[in-house]
């Protein structure tokens, strides 16, 4: 037993030392210290002569040090010993580095001939060609292998290679073929398409992809391609056009309603109220599914409440009551009950009724996720009532139960915001530091924004006097007390002129004016940021919000330069893609 222990100990120790040596060699290589890397990899290769990775690294070190004869000798010896066809590519590449294209081609052609004799050789040979960025040879390898063995499938690899060559038409065709042939690769392929759609400087790629999808729809009549085209339009945030495709799918497959509801939700999230209303109206007209009906009604009510003015409140309250009466009080109508509780609390300022609704929900037989959602809304109402500790108790319960799930992270963000509203900035930033890397992008962005707000306004003002006033004004906004919040932010502007907090205060005031329909005042505040705070982290928001308002006013003369400034000077902005799309439309680019 003791001998076995000693043997295992030395084995583990030798593996550890070996791993350290490999890491050291790689570090030398990465830093460009090729002489040291060469010695390290040669030692590793001596200990494992058959390790191709170590062999390849020694060759790369030789080549970096321009020791081409040494590299050639080592490659030739290995080829003579193992007869691996990919080593012919290595020999050719060694000559290419010496600018001897004639000899390089000779060995590349020999490698290709190996595929003609045995199609399975393509896997090693094409991989090496790809790694050396020899795109044409890699493509030729795949094409020859396919001619010999039609059952092979290299659509994905060839599509990527055509993309590298700039042949986007062939790339699109190969990727679409692969999408249909191997549906499990669909998401991966669509991610590749999304990258090209985002990076494309004109509409050429998008137009080519749309055309290819339309051709396939016309040729095959398979709803797979309608769904693909719907996805395409969603990437461009053209929800109305995506809906046309989903309707076509529904006509042939009436079970596909959930996709349409999800599309409506996406349209709401992107503030495309026109498309969302049309989509959800279609759902209500065509489904008898109670769950889908309740979802659609909830989304429509949320949209109405968001745009409502005080004169509309009574009618909306009655409409909510009628919907709850129609569908009943049960776990199935949780979304409507939560909306009712939120509306009566934050809009009608009747928090007691809101709490009563939610407490009755918690007595129903609801599942774990529904309990968390209800407790979250109840905690929000307790926070509205300024019962900070009770609210924190509920948020903490949700966070503990949810751990790293999205709802747990949302609760964690609300814990941080509650601390912020209480002016406990140190604890708030402690929470936000973790949430900046949250799995949910929206939560991560919100956490980063609040973290930067606290940090930036602590550096200049260690007493945090202005930040305390600002957090109180933000709390008034949370309570939906717009006029009180507006007065508080305006007081900060007056009392803290020239301070670091000024641009974000102007931004808040602008958003409040937007929400109450005072476009002129909103634009004036955004313009102050654009004129006076060009280096501020809030400049891209000021540009985008202004451009959007001018767009709504159909004043393209003012909107266009604002979008243009955002996409030329603020490429890292979260509004970049949307601004780019809208700028192209104003410029008169061909519509997709």
């Amino acid at each position: 037993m003791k001998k076995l222990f000693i043997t295992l100990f030395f084995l583990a120790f030798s593996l550890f030392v070996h791993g350290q040596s490999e890491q050291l060699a790689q570090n030398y290589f990465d830093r460009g210290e090729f002489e040291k890397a060469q010695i390290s990899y040669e030692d590793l290769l001596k200990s494992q002569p058959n390790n191709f990775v170590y062999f390849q690294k020694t060759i790369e070190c030789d080549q970096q040090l321009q020791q081409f004869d040494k590299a050639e000798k080592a490659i030739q010896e290995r080829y003579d010993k193992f007869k691996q066809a990919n080593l012919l590519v290595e020999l050719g590449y060694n000559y290419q580095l010496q600018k001897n294209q004639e000899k390089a081609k000779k060995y590349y052609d020999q490698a290709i001939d190996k595929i003609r004799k045995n199609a399975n050789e393509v896997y090693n040979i094409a991989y090496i060609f790809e790694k050396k960025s020899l795109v044409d040879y890699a493509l030729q390898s795949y094409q020859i292998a396919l001619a010999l063995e039609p059952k092979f499938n290299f659509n994905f690899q060839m599509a990527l290679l055509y993309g590298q060559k700039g042949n986007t038409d062939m790339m699109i065709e190969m990727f679409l073929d692969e999408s249909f042939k191997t549906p499990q690769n669909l998401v991966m392929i669509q991610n590749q398409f999304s990258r090209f759609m985002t990076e494309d400087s004109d509409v050429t790629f998008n137009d080519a992809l749309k055309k290819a999808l339309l051709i396939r729809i016309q040729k095959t009549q398979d709803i797979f391609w309608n769904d693909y085209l719907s996805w395409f339009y969603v990437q461009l945030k053209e929800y109305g056009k995506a809906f046309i495709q989903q309707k076509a799918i529904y006509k042939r497959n009436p079970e596909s309603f959930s996709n349409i509801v999800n599309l409506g939700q996406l349209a709401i999230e992107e503030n495309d109220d026109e498309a969302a209303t049309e989509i959800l109206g279609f759902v209500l007209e065509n489904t008898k599914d109670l769950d889908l009906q309740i979802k659609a009604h909830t989304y429509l009510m949320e949209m109405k409440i968001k745009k409502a003015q005080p004169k509309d409140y009574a009618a909306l309250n009655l409409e909510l009551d009628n919907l709850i009466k129609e569908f009943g009080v049960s776990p199935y109508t949780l979304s409507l009950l939560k909306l009712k509780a939120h509306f009566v609390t934050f809009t009608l300022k009747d928090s007691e009724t809101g709490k009563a609704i939610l407490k009755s929900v918690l007595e129903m037989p609801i599942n774990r996720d529904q309990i968390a959602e209800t407790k979250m809304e109840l905690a929000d109402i307790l926070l509205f009532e300024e019962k900070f500790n009770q609210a924190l108790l509920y948020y903490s319960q949700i966070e503990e139960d949810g751990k790293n799930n999205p709802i747990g992270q949302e609760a964690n963000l609300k814990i941080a915001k509650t601390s912020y509203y209480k002016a406990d900035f140190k604890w708030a930033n402690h929470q936000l530091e973790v949430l900046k890397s949250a799995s949910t992008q929206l939560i991560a962005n919100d956490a980063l924004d609040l973290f930067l707000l606290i940090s930036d306004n602590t550096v200049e003002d260690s007493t945090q006097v202005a930040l305390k006033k600002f957090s109180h004004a933000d709390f008034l906004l949370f309570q939906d007390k717009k006029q009180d919040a507006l007065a508080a932010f305006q007081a900060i502007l007056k009392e803290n002129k020239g301070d670091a907090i000024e641009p974000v205060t102007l931004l808040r005031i602008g958003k409040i004016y937007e929400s109450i329909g005072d476009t002129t005042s909103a634009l004036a505040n955004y313009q102050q940021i654009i004129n006076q705070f060009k280096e501020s982290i809030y400049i891209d928001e000021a540009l985008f919000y202004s451009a959007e308002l001018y767009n709504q006013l159909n004043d393209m003369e003012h909107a266009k330069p604002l979008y243009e400034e955002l996409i030329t000077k603020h490429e890292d902005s979260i509004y970049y893609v949307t601004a780019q799309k809208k700028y192209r439309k104003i410029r008169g680019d061909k519509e997709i």
Side-chain angles (χ1 to χ4, degrees):
M1 188 70 182
K2 186 176 179 181
K3 287 182 179 180
L4 177 61
F5 175 77
I6 292 170
T7 303
L8 289 172
F9 172 79
F10 280 108
L11 178 62
F13 182 74
S14 63
L15 288 171
F16 172 76
V17 170
H18 187 83
Q20 292 289 93
S21 300
E22 184 177 356
Q23 187 176 8
L24 181 63
Q26 186 62 48
N27 286 341
Y28 283 141
F29 190 91
D30 293 339
R31 292 202 301 264
E33 298 179 32
F34 297 113
E35 289 178 352
K36 291 179 181 178
Q38 183 186 54
I39 293 167
S40 297
Y41 276 119
E42 283 175 350
D43 287 342
L44 286 166
L45 189 59
K46 284 176 186 174
S47 66
Q48 293 186 29
N50 294 334
N51 189 310
F52 186 76
V53 174
Y54 295 157
F55 169 75
Q56 199 164 40
K57 282 293 185 181
T58 60
I59 297 302
E60 287 176 25
C61 289
D62 294 341
Q63 291 167 341
Q64 290 289 344
L65 295 168
Q66 297 191 354
Q67 297 173 4
F68 298 113
D69 290 343
K70 182 182 177 184
E72 181 182 357
K73 183 182 177 184
I75 299 168
Q76 188 65 57
E77 286 177 355
R78 195 173 185 89
Y79 179 71
D80 292 340
K81 182 178 181 181
F82 295 106
K83 301 299 181 184
Q84 293 171 314
N86 57 316
L87 290 168
L88 294 168
V89 180
E90 293 287 355
L91 280 168
Y93 190 69
N94 196 55
Y95 278 110
Q96 182 167 321
L97 292 173
Q98 299 172 69
K99 299 187 171 20
N100 189 335
Q101 290 300 130
E102 186 179 346
K103 277 203 170 182
K105 183 176 183 302
K106 170 190 164 186
Y107 284 106
Y108 294 155
D109 288 344
Q110 285 182 30
I112 295 289
D113 283 339
K114 293 288 184 181
I115 299 173
R116 290 192 176 98
K117 293 173 183 175
N118 180 4
N120 288 313
E121 291 279 11
V122 69
Y123 293 102
N124 291 324
I125 293 171
Y127 169 77
I128 293 294
F129 277 135
E130 285 184 51
K131 193 173 180 184
K132 306 293 186 189
S133 297
L134 299 166
V135 175
D136 288 330
Y137 279 106
L139 278 170
Q140 187 183 355
S141 299
Y142 287 128
Q143 288 161 352
I144 290 169
L146 283 169
L148 294 169
E149 291 288 348
K151 290 181 180 178
F152 282 169
N153 179 9
F154 301 118
N155 288 332
F156 192 88
Q157 296 93 323
M158 292 176 73
L160 289 174
L161 291 167
Y162 280 120
Q164 289 178 43
K165 282 173 62 70
N167 188 342
T168 52
D169 287 341
M170 280 301 297
M171 182 190 78
I172 287 169
E173 289 303 312
M174 300 296 288
F175 269 146
L176 291 182
D177 286 345
E178 179 63 8
S179 297
F180 191 76
K181 187 173 184 178
T182 318
Q184 59 265 36
N185 288 339
L186 179 62
V187 173
M188 186 165 54
I189 291 166
Q190 288 179 336
N191 287 339
Q192 290 289 334
F193 279 146
S194 293
R195 184 170 62 83
F196 277 87
M197 292 168 74
T198 302
E199 292 177 358
D200 191 44
S201 58
D202 53 33
V203 296
T204 307
F205 177 80
N206 294 346
D207 200 21
L209 178 54
K210 175 197 168 189
K211 182 179 178 182
L213 288 168
L214 284 171
I215 288 171
R216 287 168 187 253
I217 288 171
Q218 291 163 3
K219 279 184 177 179
T220 68
Q221 301 295 309
D222 194 308
I223 61 173
F224 176 86
W225 300 114
N226 295 95
D227 202 40
Y228 219 125
L229 187 56
S230 176
W231 168 86
F232 169 81
Y233 283 127
V234 167
Q235 305 315 297
L236 298 178
K237 300 184 180 181
E238 296 279 1
Y239 299 105
K241 293 178 181 178
F243 178 46
I244 291 171
Q245 298 306 315
Q246 289 298 332
K247 277 197 292 187
I249 295 169
Y250 172 74
K251 286 178 182 176
R252 282 177 280 170
N253 179 18
E255 302 300 316
S256 62
F257 244 113
S258 58
N259 287 342
I260 296 178
V261 175
N262 292 337
L263 185 62
Q265 189 177 8
L266 279 175
I268 292 170
E269 290 170 1
E270 293 296 332
N271 298 312
D272 189 345
D273 292 351
E274 183 180 348
T277 302
E278 182 186 5
I279 293 165
L280 297 172
F282 179 84
V283 171
L284 291 174
E285 288 173 10
N286 290 277
T287 187
K288 293 181 180 179
D289 185 299
L290 286 179
D291 186 50
L292 291 178
Q293 286 183 19
I294 291 165
K295 277 186 180 178
H297 277 300
T298 302
Y299 292 146
L300 285 168
M301 286 302 302
E302 285 174 347
M303 289 167 59
K304 290 178 183 178
I305 290 168
K306 186 177 177 182
K307 295 188 292 184
Q309 297 300 317
K311 62 182 176 60
D312 307 316
Y313 294 164
L316 287 174
N317 195 36
L318 180 61
E319 191 172 351
L320 269 172
D321 286 340
N322 287 338
L323 284 170
I324 292 169
K325 185 178 180 181
E326 178 184 350
F327 293 104
V329 176
S330 74
Y332 297 105
T333 55
L334 177 59
S335 59
L336 285 171
L337 293 168
K338 276 175 51 196
L339 184 59
K340 169 74 176 180
H342 191 91
F343 179 71
V344 296
T345 299
F346 289 88
T347 305
L348 303 183
K349 312 305 178 191
D350 179 5
S351 60
E352 290 301 322
T353 299
K355 286 191 296 185
I357 292 169
L358 296 174
K359 285 176 180 177
S360 68
V361 169
L362 288 172
E363 293 174 1
M364 296 179 188
I366 55 179
N367 63 39
R368 183 175 176 175
D369 289 341
Q370 291 172 323
I371 290 170
E373 290 172 26
T374 307
K375 282 186 174 181
M376 189 85 82
E377 190 64 50
L378 185 54
D380 289 348
I381 294 176
L382 291 166
L383 185 55
F384 170 88
E385 294 180 323
E386 302 184 33
K387 294 175 180 175
F388 296 103
N389 291 335
Q390 289 184 46
L392 282 169
L393 183 64
Y394 276 107
Y395 290 140
S396 297
Q397 287 176 6
I398 300 163
E399 192 269 337
E400 178 63 27
D401 291 341
K403 294 297 181 186
N404 292 321
N405 292 335
I407 196 161
Q409 291 181 342
E410 184 184 352
N412 207 350
L413 179 62
K414 293 197 174 190
I415 290 170
K417 285 186 175 182
T418 304
S419 300
Y420 163 71
Y421 294 143
K422 290 173 65 181
D424 185 354
F425 304 125
K426 185 176 180 180
W427 179 245
N429 257 8
H430 174 72
Q431 301 287 114
L432 296 166
E433 184 73 53
V434 177
L435 285 167
K436 287 189 295 180
S437 57
S439 57
T440 306
Q441 192 59 49
L442 183 61
I443 290 174
N445 289 341
D446 285 350
L448 179 60
D449 287 346
L450 187 54
F451 180 84
L452 291 174
L453 172 69
I454 295 170
S455 302
D456 290 351
N457 290 285
T458 300
V459 172
E460 186 176 295
D461 177 14
S462 59
T463 61
Q464 301 174 322
V465 173
L467 187 58
K468 288 172 184 174
K469 291 184 285 187
F470 192 91
S471 70
H472 175 67
D474 261 349
F475 182 60
L476 292 170
L477 265 186
F478 168 79
Q479 292 176 305
D480 202 23
K481 298 177 180 178
K482 292 188 177 70
Q483 291 300 331
D484 292 343
L486 182 59
F489 284 124
Q490 287 171 332
I492 292 169
L493 270 190
K494 186 177 179 181
E495 296 161 10
N496 299 88
K497 197 71 178 171
D499 290 350
I501 209 157
E502 189 174 356
V504 68
T505 306
L506 288 165
L507 196 73
R508 288 288 200 278
I509 292 171
K511 290 305 289 181
I512 293 172
Y513 277 129
E514 267 197 68
S515 69
I516 60 178
D518 188 345
T519 303
T520 303
S521 297
L523 286 167
N525 280 273
Y526 297 147
Q527 193 61 45
Q528 272 190 262
I529 301 172
I530 295 166
N531 292 342
Q532 299 172 24
F533 301 97
K534 291 191 179 296
E535 301 304 316
S536 165
I537 60 173
Y538 304 102
I539 182 70
D540 64 317
E541 291 175 277
L543 288 166
F544 184 74
Y545 296 155
S546 297
E548 290 287 274
L549 285 175
Y550 281 122
N551 208 342
Q552 290 169 24
L553 296 169
N554 206 29
D555 184 351
M556 302 309 167
E557 184 181 347
H558 283 92
K560 183 181 176 184
L562 292 165
Y563 285 132
E564 185 175 15
E565 185 173 346
L566 193 151
I567 62 178
T568 54
K569 296 182 180 178
H570 304 281
E571 293 184 5
D572 58 342
S573 171
I574 60 172
Y575 304 106
Y576 176 82
V577 174
T578 304
Q580 187 182 52
K581 174 176 170 285
K582 294 194 175 184
Y583 173 72
R584 289 171 179 168
K585 188 173 181 181
I586 294 171
R587 193 173 62 183
D589 290 355
K590 184 179 176 182
E591 186 180 0
I592 300 298

